[in-house]
Amino acid sequence: MELFLKIAAAAVLVLMLFYLWPTYKQWQEHGPKAQKGDWQAAILPLGAVVLFVIVLIMAVR
Amino acid sequence: MANPGFTVAQATQSAISTNKVLKNTYMLLAATLGFSALTAMLSLALAAPPWTYMASVIVAMLLGIFVLPRTANSSAGIGVLFLITGLLGFGLGAILSLYLALPHGPQTVGLAFGGTAAIFLGLSGYALTSKRDFSFMGGFIFAGMMVVIFAVVANIFLQMPALSLAISSAIILLMSGFILFDTSRIARGEETNYIMATYGIYLSIFNIFISLLQLLGILGDD
């Protein structure tokens, strides 16, 4: 049962890759490019998430 | 010469419709999260076996790939969305019962829940108040998703704890990026279908919760 579920999950994930591929290509080729300061504005909250997760891990240790 | 009155009316109309999509998305998100909590409690009460999680995720993914995009423009889409989120909640219940059986399990589950809520509220608030366009992250996020899916497929069979940790960490970062990306797209009127918008944000929240639970479970005292 478990092996069957593992194979099914892997198959569905591979299927998902096929569905994601055109979306990825479209964003890569036609998506808007970052302007000056855009990445800084994104890295700031993502960095905060990383720090927050580290605090949560320290809380359970 | 352009009619300024017409331009102002057009802009107002566009802002109203954007606000409507945002309001509908958050209302539907609250309803689907509540429904998932109900089905998770049902799963806990029925003591669903652990394989229920994988089975629920497989069916939910298939519904998300094949059925939801075809029904998202009709009221049937709402029913499909509730079916998907209900299934994911039911599967989550089976995982939660494993964690709750650990000595510090309830604390870990509580922290993962609170942490997920804080990450979602913080990132959504940031995306909405900064009014920045995060759609430049699209290519990067989808590339990251594909790499993570490859790693997940490999780890289904390899079962390496270190790879599990790396995958969970990457998923938290990617889904955080998705929250910024999706929220800014809704706020800027680029996403007009609130069913698909809700589905995207729901999946981000669900994945952050599961990954945080796994990280705290592996790195915690238990």
Side-chain angles (χ1 to χ4, degrees), chain B residues 15-29 124 128 131 182-189 191-194 197-198 201:
Chain B
I16 289 171
S17 73
T18 299
N19 281 340
K20 199 177 164 194
V21 173
L22 196 62
K23 189 179 137 199
N24 285 343
T25 301
Y26 283 134
M27 277 171 58
L28 192 55
L29 184 65
S124 301
L128 289 174
K131 297 196 191 307
D182 283 337
T183 310
S184 90
R185 272 173 54 80
I186 300 165
R188 297 170 65 82
E191 175 61 86
T192 52
N193 187 314
Y194 66 91
T198 305
I201 296 179

Side-chain angles (χ1 to χ4, degrees), chain B residues 11-125:
Chain B
T12 310
Q13 191 61 42
S14 163
I16 289 171
S17 73
T18 299
N19 281 340
K20 199 177 164 194
V21 173
L22 196 62
K23 189 179 137 199
N24 285 343
T25 301
Y26 283 134
M27 277 171 58
L28 192 55
L29 184 65
T32 49
L33 287 172
F35 186 60
S36 290
L38 277 178
T39 55
M41 282 194 279
L42 177 71
S43 168
L44 278 171
L46 294 173
W51 60 262
T52 316
Y53 172 69
M54 212 178 251
S56 305
V57 169
I58 291 169
V59 177
M61 277 202 295
L62 287 173
L63 286 171
I65 293 171
F66 294 111
V67 185
L68 191 64
R70 287 179 175 81
T71 53
N73 289 317
S74 66
S75 56
I78 295 178
V80 176
L81 184 64
F82 272 95
L83 181 60
I84 292 172
T85 55
L87 270 171
L88 289 174
F90 193 80
L92 185 65
I95 294 290
L96 286 182
S97 66
L98 290 179
Y99 278 91
L100 291 173
L102 296 171
H104 297 103
Q107 187 201 358
T108 308
V109 173
L111 266 181
F113 181 78
T116 306
I119 290 171
F120 167 65
L121 292 174
L123 291 174
S124 301

Side-chain angles (χ1 to χ4, degrees), chain B residues 114-137:
Chain B
T116 306
I119 290 171
F120 167 65
L121 292 174
L123 291 174
S124 301
Y126 179 78
L128 289 174
T129 52
S130 72
K131 297 196 191 307
R132 268 192 178 267
D133 181 6
F134 288 104
S135 52
F136 69 92
M137 293 168 75

Side-chain angles (χ1 to χ4, degrees), chain B residues 123-172:
Chain B
L123 291 174
S124 301
Y126 179 78
L128 289 174
T129 52
S130 72
K131 297 196 191 307
R132 268 192 178 267
D133 181 6
F134 288 104
S135 52
F136 69 92
M137 293 168 75
F140 171 78
I141 288 177
F142 284 106
M145 268 310 292
M146 296 183 77
V147 173
V148 165
I149 290 175
F150 266 121
V152 171
V153 171
N155 210 36
I156 285 178
F157 301 102
L158 296 175
Q159 301 275 327
M160 289 165 62
L163 187 55
S164 278
L165 274 180
I167 290 170
S168 296
S169 311
I171 288 177
I172 292 175

